[in-house]
C-alpha cells in the first residue's frame, strides 16, 4: 500500500478529552475517529487490526467446533418481554419503533434471539451439543462512554451460545470455550488472567469466569498468584491463612490504657494521631445478621469480607448496622466500637488474634483503649477468616505463591446459564427417553473492539504503538528517506514488490516528507519491521529496524529480504 494514498490522519498531539493511553494512540495514529460519544469510525489501519482480531477469534471458535451465524441487531421487544428482561433494563437498552409502530430493541446481547432460533430449529438430543457464535455489533446506551473503544455505546462483540442436554455436557462445552479463550488471548499477545468470578461454583449451575487484561486503566481489581494460575476478583479472592503463632499470645503485663481520642473515629485519623501503623489497631464494625447485631473485628489495615462473614453465620440478610443500632449496642457513636464490654456475639479475624496487643474503640464517645490483648480480652470470641485478601497473602491454591493485585480490563466473560432462557422462552428438546427437556445453556463473550484497546494499553512505548506481529496492520514498513531520490525510490519499490510477491503485507512510505516526520510516523503506527532505504541505496545496502528493538542493522538487499521473509 502506498502511504501517499492511505487515509491515515496522524496527529502530533491527541485531543485533550482523550485520557486513556490506548485512546490517545488510536486517535494520534489515525486508527479511529469519533462520530458521537461512544460511537466510532474505524479508519483503514484500525479496520485492518480489528479484522485480524476477528480472524483469530473466528479460527479458534471454529477450531473448538462452534458454528458461525449472524443475528440481527433489531430484536422484537416480545422476546425480551418473554424473558422478562424488557422491564429490567432501563435507558441502557436502546428501544425503537418500526414504521408499523412495533417495538424493537437494538441488541445489547443475544440470549433471547438465539434461544428463539434454537426453539424452532433444534428438537432432538441427537443434534446436541451445539455451540453457535457471531461477531456482531452490540448497542448499549452507556451513561458514561469513555476511554475510546474501552467503553463504547456501539461495539463489536463475539458472542457464543452453547446448547447441551445435561450439565456434564455443558461443562465440556464450557471448558472447550474456556480453552479457546486462552488460545485467543495468547495469540493476541495479551497479558491476561482468567478470574473465577464466583469462586468454586463452576461445577453446578451458574459459574462464570472473566478474562482480565492487566492494565492500570482497568476498572476491575484482581488478586493473582505470582506462582500459579490462581486469580480472582478482589472481593472473591481467597488466601491461605498463614500458620498462626499460637493464636493466644502469652498475656503481657500491663493494664488497659484509656486514651482520649476526641472525634477521632477513622483508622486514618488514629494512625495520624498516634503515629503508628494501621496494623496496630483493631477495627470493630457492628453488623446486623438477619436483624440481630454482631461485632466483627479485623486488624486496622484489613477490610471485612462481608461474604465470608455472612457465609459463616449462614445469614440471609447481612449488612452494616445503622448508627442508631451501633449506638444502642456499643453505648457510643460509630467510630468508637470495641470488643470490651460488648454483650453481642463477637467475630474476630485470625490476624487480630495473632496480635500481641492493639488499640481498639472503648465503646465510649471520644475514647479508645490501648493494650487490648486478644489472649486476655478476646478469650471466647468466634475466630475465623473474615477479611479481604491483601497483596502478599499466601496463595490458596499453591504452596509458595503470594497474591499480587492488578487493575484489569474485562475482555472476555464465560457463563454457565443453565435453563434460565430455555425455561423463559420454552425452548425444549426430546431427550433419549423421548421426554421433553429444556436446553442447558452457556454463553461466552469477547469484546473484540475492547480487545483492540486492551492490546494497545499493553503494547506501546513513548514513541507510539508496538503491534504484536499477529495483529499488526502491515508486517513491513518500507521507508525511502527521500521521495525525490530516484535511486532510493526504485530500490524501495523493488523491495516492496519482492516482499508483496512473497505474501508479506507492505506499507510503502512514498510521501514527499522530511525524514524526521517519516520516522516519527513510522514509530507511532508501530509496524513490527522497518526497512529504511537511505544514502547507501546505491550500494544496495539498507537499514533494518525491529520496532521492539532499539538498534538498527545494515544489510545487503538479499539479506534484508531474507530477514523480512523469515521474521
Ligand atoms: C441488556 C443491556 C446491557 C447488558 C445486558 C442486557 C450485559 C446483558 C450481560 C451479558 C451476558 C453475556 C452473551 C455474551 C457474553 C455476555 N449488559 N449483559 O445481558 F439489555 Cl442494555 O451480555 N451475553
Amino acid at each position: 500500500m502506498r502511504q501517499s494514498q492511505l487515509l491515515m490522519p496522524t496527529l502530533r498531539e491527541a485531543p485533550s478529552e482523550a485520557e486513556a493511553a490506548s485512546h490517545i494512540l488510536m486517535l494520534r495514529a489515525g486508527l479511529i475517529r469519533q462520530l458521537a460519544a461512544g460511537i466510532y469510525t474505524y479508519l483503514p489501519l484500525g479496520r485492518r487490526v480489528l479484522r485480524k482480531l476477528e480472524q483469530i477469534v473466528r479460527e479458534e471458535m471454529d477450531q473448538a467446533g462452534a458454528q458461525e451465524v449472524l443475528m440481527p441487531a433489531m430484536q422484537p421487544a416480545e422476546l425480551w418481554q418473554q424473558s422478562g428482561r424488557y422491564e429490567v433494563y432501563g435507558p441502557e437498552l436502546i428501544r425503537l419503533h418500526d414504521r408499523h409502530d412495533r417495538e424493537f430493541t437494538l441488541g445489547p446481547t443475544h440470549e433471547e434471539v438465539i434461544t428463539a432460533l434454537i426453539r424452532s430449529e433444534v428438537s432432538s438430543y441427537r443434534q446436541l451439543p451445539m455451540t453457535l457464535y457471531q461477531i456482531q455489533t452490540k448497542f448499549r446506551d452507556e451513561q458514561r462512554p469513555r476511554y475510546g473503544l474501552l467503553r463504547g455505546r456501539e461495539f463489536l462483540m463475539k458472542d457464543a451460545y452453547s446448547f447441551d442436554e445435561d450439565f456434564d455436557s455443558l461443562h465440556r462445552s464450557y471448558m472447550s470455550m474456556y480453552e479457546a479463550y486462552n488460545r485467543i488471548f495468547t495469540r493476541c499477545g495479551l497479558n491476561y488472567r482468567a478470574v473465577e468470578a464466583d469462586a468454586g461454583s463452576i461445577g453446578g449451575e451458574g459459574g462464570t469466569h472473566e478474562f482480565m487484561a492487566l492494565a492500570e486503566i482497568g476498572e476491575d481489581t484482581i488478586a493473582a498468584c505470582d506462582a500459579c494460575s490462581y486469580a480472582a476478583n478482589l472481593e472473591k479472592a481467597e488466601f491461605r491463612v498463614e500458620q498462626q503463632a499460637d493464636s493466644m499470645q502469652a498475656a503481657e503485663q500491663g493494664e488497659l490504657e484509656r486514651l482520649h481520642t476526641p472525634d477521632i473515629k477513622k483508622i486514618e485519623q488514629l494512625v495520624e494521631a498516634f503515629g503508628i501503623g494501621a496494623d496496630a489497631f483493631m477495627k470493630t464494625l457492628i453488623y446486623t445478621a438477619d436483624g440481630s447485631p454482631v461485632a466483627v473485628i479485623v486488624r486496622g489495615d484489613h477490610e471485612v469480607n462481608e461474604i465470608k462473614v455472612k457465609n459463616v453465620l449462614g445469614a440471609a440478610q447481612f449488612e452494616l448496622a445503622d448508627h442508631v443500632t451501633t449506638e444502642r449496642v456499643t453505648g457510643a457513636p460509630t467510630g468508637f466500637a470495641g470488643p470490651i464490654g460488648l454483650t453481642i456475639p463477637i467475630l474476630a479475624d485470625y490476624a487480630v488474634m495473632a496480635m500481641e496487643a492493639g488499640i481498639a474503640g472503648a465503646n465510649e464517645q471520644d475514647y479508645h483503649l490501648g493494650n487490648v490483648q486478644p489472649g486476655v480480652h478476646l478469650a471466647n470470641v468466634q475466630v475465623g477468616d473474615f477479611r479481604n485478601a491483601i497483596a502478599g497473602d499466601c496463595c490458596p491454591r499453591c504452596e509458595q505463591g503470594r497474591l499480587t493485585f492488578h487493575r484489569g480490563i474485562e475482555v472476555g466473560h464465560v457463563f454457565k446459564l443453565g435453563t434460565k432462557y430455555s425455561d423463559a422462552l420454552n425452548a425444549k428438546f426430546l431427550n433419549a427417553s423421548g421426554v421433553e427437556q429444556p436446553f442447558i445453556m452457556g454463553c461466552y463473550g469477547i469484546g473484540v473492539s475492547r480487545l483492540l484497546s486492551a492490546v494497545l494499553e499493553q503494547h506501546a512505548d513513548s514513541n507510539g504503538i508496538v503491534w504484536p506481529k499477529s495483529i499488526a496492520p502491515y508486517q513491513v514498513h518500507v521507508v525511502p528517506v527521500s521521495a525525490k531520490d530516484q535511486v532510493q525510490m526504485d530500490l524501495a519499490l523493488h523491495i516492496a514488490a519482492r516482499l508483496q510477491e512473497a505474501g508479506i503485507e507492505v506499507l510503502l512510505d512514498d510521501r514527499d516528507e522530511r525524514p524526521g516526520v517519516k520516522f516519527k510516523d513510522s514509530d507511532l503506527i508501530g509496524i513490527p519491521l522497518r526497512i529504511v532505504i537511505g544514502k547507501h541505496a546505491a550500494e544496495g545496502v539498507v537499514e533494518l529496524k525491529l520496532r521492539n528493538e532499539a538498534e538498527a542493522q545494515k544489510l545487503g538487499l538479499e539479506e534484508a529480504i531474507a530477514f523480512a521473509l523469515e521474521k
Side-chain angles (χ1 to χ4, degrees):
M1 176 69 197
R2 286 171 169 270
Q3 210 164 317
S4 59
Q5 313 299 319
L6 177 64
L7 174 58
M8 184 185 84
T10 54
L11 305 171
R12 279 285 145 262
E13 302 297 328
S16 56
E17 78 270 9
E19 299 158 71
S22 53
H23 187 196
I24 290 167
L25 283 168
M26 287 186 195
L27 294 171
R28 286 195 53 218
L31 269 64
I32 61 171
R33 282 296 181 269
Q34 178 174 304
L35 177 62
I39 298 171
Y40 292 88
T41 297
Y42 296 91
L43 301 182
L45 279 195
R47 182 65 187 117
R48 289 178 73 94
V49 177
L50 194 68
R51 193 199 310 276
K52 291 201 173 178
L53 289 169
E54 288 173 30
Q55 205 40 40
I56 289 172
V57 171
R58 188 169 278 118
E59 283 167 11
E60 295 300 339
M61 284 293 111
D62 294 347
Q63 185 64 35
Q67 301 175 58
E68 185 167 10
V69 298
L70 181 59
M71 289 178 264
M74 278 182 68
Q75 303 182 11
E78 291 83 0
L79 286 179
W80 286 72
Q81 285 151 352
Q82 283 172 35
S83 70
R85 295 210 290 178
Y86 200 60
E87 302 317 323
V88 166
Y89 285 91
E92 192 189 356
L93 178 60
I94 296 180
R95 305 157 203 256
L96 62 117
H97 291 85
D98 69 4
R99 63 189 305 169
H100 310 295
D101 213 23
R102 292 193 200 102
E103 277 201 73
F104 284 80
T105 71
L106 283 185
T109 182
H110 282 69
E111 280 82 2
E112 285 82 358
V113 174
I114 197 75
T115 304
L117 176 77
I118 294 299
R119 173 176 63 190
S120 56
E121 305 305 333
V122 175
S123 56
S124 163
Y125 74 99
R126 288 189 183 82
Q127 296 171 278
L128 303 178
M130 179 181 285
T131 298
L132 305 177
Y133 78 95
Q134 65 174 348
I135 299 177
Q136 192 252 16
T137 301
K138 296 285 186 284
F139 299 84
R140 295 179 184 178
D141 199 354
E142 296 283 348
Q143 181 153 31
R144 284 193 61 217
R146 57 183 178 157
Y147 300 154
L149 300 182
L150 272 180
R151 181 170 290 279
R153 291 196 289 167
E154 178 175 335
F155 56 93
L156 197 60
M157 184 196 276
K158 185 285 300 175
D159 45 325
Y161 304 87
S162 62
F163 299 87
D164 286 275
E165 57 183 299
D166 58 37
F167 277 96
D168 285 347
S169 183
L170 165 61
H171 188 68
R172 289 189 290 276
S173 298
Y174 183 92
M175 289 317 294
S176 169
M177 286 289 105
Y178 181 92
E179 281 141 24
Y181 276 43
N182 281 304
R183 287 193 294 273
I184 288 166
F185 297 125
T186 301
R187 288 181 60 186
C188 294
L190 208 59
N191 179 13
Y192 73 94
R193 295 290 186 283
V195 163
E196 302 170 15
D198 52 359
S201 68
I202 296 306
E205 183 166 346
T208 171
H209 278 85
E210 288 166 317
F211 288 80
M212 294 289 188
L214 304 190
E216 274 316 299
I217 198 81
E219 291 179 343
D220 298 272
T221 303
I222 65 166
C225 175
D226 57 11
C228 75
S229 63
Y230 175 74
N233 272 319
L234 177 57
E235 66 280 356
K236 299 275 170 60
E238 298 160 35
F239 53 91
R240 185 160 36 79
V241 179
E242 287 193 86
Q243 202 43 46
Q244 300 302 321
D246 59 326
S247 61
M248 297 294 180
Q249 303 295 330
E252 259 189 1
Q253 302 311 317
E255 295 305 308
L256 289 172
E257 299 153 54
R258 224 161 94 85
L259 306 165
H260 188 215
T261 51
D263 215 24
I264 297 177
K265 310 174 184 177
K266 297 209 175 308
I267 290 293
E268 303 76 44
Q269 294 171 301
L270 286 162
V271 166
E272 181 69 33
F274 288 90
I276 50 178
D279 59 350
F281 296 93
M282 297 172 183
K283 181 161 55 175
T284 305
L285 294 162
I286 308 300
Y287 288 89
T288 54
D290 295 337
S292 53
V294 297
V296 181
I297 309 178
V298 294
R299 214 171 67 188
D301 56 326
H302 292 161
E303 299 300 329
V304 173
N305 183 305
E306 297 182 357
I307 295 167
K308 291 181 181 176
V309 180
K310 184 178 179 202
N311 290 345
V312 164
L313 293 174
Q317 290 295 325
F318 184 74
E319 61 254 342
L320 269 177
D322 58 32
H323 294 299
V324 171
T325 306
T326 298
E327 186 116 23
R328 175 168 57 80
V329 303
T330 66
T334 303
F336 298 99
I340 294 173
L342 280 190
T343 56
I344 58 175
I346 297 175
L347 286 74
D349 182 72
Y350 289 123
V352 170
M353 303 312 288
M355 295 167 75
E356 289 195 11
I359 296 174
N363 290 325
E364 181 183 350
Q365 180 158 10
D366 293 345
Y367 280 89
H368 279 75
L369 292 175
N371 203 21
V372 175
Q373 298 164 46
V376 176
H377 303 109
L378 295 179
N380 50 14
V381 305
Q382 183 175 350
V383 181
D385 168 18
F386 299 130
R387 69 174 171 86
N388 273 344
I390 60 170
D393 276 332
C394 296
C395 173
R397 295 283 185 282
C398 74
E399 284 315 302
Q400 70 284 6
R402 294 281 170 163
L403 295 182
T404 52
F405 282 14
H406 305 268
R407 309 286 293 173
I409 300 168
E410 180 191 326
V411 289
H413 203 156
V414 291
F415 296 76
K416 290 184 176 177
L417 288 172
T419 59
K420 175 178 178 186
Y421 292 94
S422 45
D423 281 341
L425 275 74
N426 194 31
K428 296 176 185 307
F429 66 95
L430 277 184
N431 71 8
S433 324
V435 177
E436 274 203 327
Q437 299 276 317
F439 293 97
I440 310 294
M441 292 175 60
C443 66
Y444 316 87
I446 290 180
V448 179
S449 45
R450 179 181 278 184
L451 186 51
L452 174 49
S453 292
V455 168
L456 280 181
E457 288 291 333
Q458 295 185 353
H459 292 272
D461 63 15
S462 56
N463 296 321
I465 299 171
V466 185
W467 288 114
K469 193 169 177 304
S470 57
I471 58 172
Y474 291 92
Q475 293 163 294
V476 179
H477 199 188
V478 174
V479 181
V481 171
S482 160
K484 287 200 176 64
D485 179 315
Q486 205 46 50
V487 171
Q488 289 184 19
M489 279 309 285
D490 288 349
L491 184 52
L493 287 163
H494 172 76
I495 290 172
R498 291 275 302 277
L499 294 180
Q500 263 156 334
E501 275 154 30
I504 300 281
E505 297 163 317
V506 177
L507 179 63
L508 170 66
D509 189 352
D510 61 341
R511 296 174 300 166
D512 185 5
E513 285 281 359
R514 286 180 289 101
V517 169
K518 292 192 165 194
F519 294 134
K520 271 199 179 307
D521 277 353
S522 182
D523 284 342
L524 175 62
I525 65 176
I527 292 169
L529 173 64
R530 175 162 77 217
I531 301 178
V532 178
I533 296 91
K535 54 182 179 300
H536 302 295
E539 303 105 70
V541 171
V542 297
E543 191 179 272
L544 269 71
K545 185 180 177 307
L546 288 169
R547 178 63 181 82
N548 60 2
E549 285 179 9
E551 295 313 306
Q553 53 177 319
K554 285 189 179 11
L555 288 177
L557 170 62
E558 292 311 324
E559 292 166 289
I561 287 180
F563 184 94
L565 289 183
E566 48 93 6
K567 247 291 156 213

